[in-house]
Amino acid sequence: MSDPRTAETLTIPPLPVLFQARLHPRADWIDQRTIDWMLSHRLIEPGREETFVRQMHMGRLAAWSCPEAETDHALLLACVLAWMVLLDDRLVDPVADKDEMRELAERWMSFDIIVHDPQAATVHNTPMERALRELCRRIRPSATLDQWSRIQEAILRTLIGYSAKAGHKSDSYRPSLAQFRLIRYYTSGLLIFPPLLEIFCATELTPDVALDADIHALNTMSAAIVTTVHEIATCPHDVRRGIRNLPVLLAEEHACSIQDGLHLAATELGELTAQFNDRCRKVEARNLPGSAAYIKALQHLIAGHPSWTEETKRYTPGS
């Protein structure tokens, strides 16, 4: 484990300019309504908890990610993002800390029931479950059958990823770099973005295009870019808390300092961006129906995350 004091000496290396970031014109309204939604579902309580969550700016993350979406759609995306962040903070980490994987499995079954039938009863009916019911009821009318099926699959895969994360943490097993990358991909929340981008950004893809190998590659690369940006930007925060993130694991893999690990991660980011751009050109040359607008939506998603990490207080000292 690295020395937490190392965090104070780390410098974030220059990152490649990915795409031009844009902010939704009603970003602050979306941010406030997201807090209101969390309070209304008792996902957070007024006072100190509300103050901390307000500084996270989950609504602005959605506003950076979907700058051209209708305001109600951007707000709905913000609520989905907020729910997923709380999923990690309120369920996965506490369950792993007390080594109670059975509880996590029960929660996952309840969520799966709700996603497949928002009207169905569940055993606990927790605030997280009630919030998920409402999200499903709001998203489903706007989704095609194919999009909704992919949303269901994405949520299930995310829960599988969180099970792996909690399992590693609960028995103090140190995942390898390859295992970490896979868990990070599954728990990033980005598995659900492809169908949501289609719905919220009016870029509907036909089922055959949505399942196309090149489109799948773009989805995977965009997720890798966003998570790598995130791992770099939050490295000092993670090191301070003793968390082994991507730069730390790269440093261990290459027997170098964490600062050098940060530079290795930045190099990876540049390579991922080049690969993404190459694949975009390939898809554009194929002229797949709806792909031009979809690529633009992915570029907005990629561009928005660095801007959000600069303004959120989720990763500042003491958080």
Side-chain angles (χ1 to χ4, degrees), residues 115-191:
V115 168
H116 284 84
D117 181 5
Q119 310 303 325
T122 53
V123 174
H124 301 287
N125 195 32
T126 62
M128 287 291 288
E129 291 174 23
R130 292 194 294 272
L132 180 60
R133 288 183 195 279
E134 193 216 0
L135 291 174
C136 290
R137 289 169 180 156
R138 290 167 65 186
I139 295 171
R140 180 64 186 91
S142 300
T144 65
L145 179 60
D146 174 67
Q147 289 168 341
W148 185 244
S149 295
R150 286 188 280 128
I151 288 172
Q152 291 172 325
E153 178 189 8
I155 292 175
L156 180 59
R157 293 177 70 191
T158 299
L159 299 181
I160 291 171
Y162 276 128
S163 295
K165 177 186 176 183
H168 283 307
K169 185 175 182 181
S170 65
D171 63 10
S172 300
Y173 176 77
R174 294 161 66 93
S176 66
L177 180 58
Q179 289 171 322
F180 172 85
R181 291 185 194 277
L182 193 57
I183 292 172
R184 189 71 183 89
Y185 174 59
Y186 270 69
T187 60
S188 65
L190 292 165
L191 290 171

Side-chain angles (χ1 to χ4, degrees), residues 259-299:
Q259 183 63 57
D260 287 337
L262 274 166
H263 286 286
L264 289 171
T267 299
E268 277 194 15
L269 180 61
E271 294 169 350
L272 284 167
T273 304
Q275 293 167 10
F276 179 84
N277 287 331
D278 287 344
R279 191 62 64 114
C280 285
R281 285 189 286 270
K282 180 179 178 181
V283 172
E284 289 165 354
R286 292 178 62 196
N287 198 29
L288 295 173
S291 61
Y294 185 68
I295 287 173
K296 183 179 180 183
L298 287 177
Q299 290 172 341

Side-chain angles (χ1 to χ4, degrees), residues 124 131 215 222:
H124 301 287
I215 296 296
S222 62

Side-chain angles (χ1 to χ4, degrees), residues 90-101:
R90 304 291 174 79
L91 290 181
V92 179
D93 286 341
V95 163
D97 288 339
K98 64 182 182 181
D99 196 16
E100 186 51 85
M101 294 296 290

Side-chain angles (χ1 to χ4, degrees), residues 51-58 85 89 308 312-314:
T51 299
F52 172 70
V53 173
R54 186 179 296 279
Q55 293 177 336
M56 289 165 54
H57 295 306
M58 295 309 300
V85 167
D89 291 351
W308 175 74
T312 182
K313 305 300 182 185
R314 180 173 171 81

Side-chain angles (χ1 to χ4, degrees), residues 170-278:
S170 65
D171 63 10
S172 300
Y173 176 77
R174 294 161 66 93
S176 66
L177 180 58
Q179 289 171 322
F180 172 85
R181 291 185 194 277
L182 193 57
I183 292 172
R184 189 71 183 89
Y185 174 59
Y186 270 69
T187 60
S188 65
L190 292 165
L191 290 171
I192 200 173
F193 262 82
L196 290 183
L197 287 180
E198 292 178 44
I199 297 168
F200 297 157
C201 301
T203 60
E204 181 181 343
L205 302 178
T206 59
D208 60 325
V209 172
L211 295 174
D212 182 85
D214 284 329
I215 296 296
H216 176 71
L218 286 178
N219 293 337
T220 303
M221 289 175 189
S222 62
I225 291 170
V226 171
T227 55
T228 302
V229 167
H230 190 86
E231 293 290 305
I232 293 171
T234 63
C235 184
H237 174 267
D238 287 345
V239 170
R240 194 179 295 115
R241 297 176 62 203
I243 296 174
R244 296 165 70 244
N245 71 355
L246 178 62
V248 172
L249 288 166
L250 286 171
E252 293 175 1
E253 183 89 356
H254 294 270
C256 61
S257 68
I258 297 177
Q259 183 63 57
D260 287 337
L262 274 166
H263 286 286
L264 289 171
T267 299
E268 277 194 15
L269 180 61
E271 294 169 350
L272 284 167
T273 304
Q275 293 167 10
F276 179 84
N277 287 331
D278 287 344

Side-chain angles (χ1 to χ4, degrees), residues 77-116:
L77 175 62
C79 294
V80 172
L81 293 172
W83 186 86
M84 287 191 163
V85 167
L86 292 180
L87 183 69
D88 192 9
D89 291 351
R90 304 291 174 79
L91 290 181
V92 179
D93 286 341
V95 163
D97 288 339
K98 64 182 182 181
D99 196 16
E100 186 51 85
M101 294 296 290
R102 177 183 58 81
E103 178 184 338
L104 205 61
E106 290 179 357
R107 300 299 184 192
W108 288 182
M109 287 189 288
S110 294
F111 293 152
D112 187 63
I113 289 169
I114 292 167
V115 168
H116 284 84

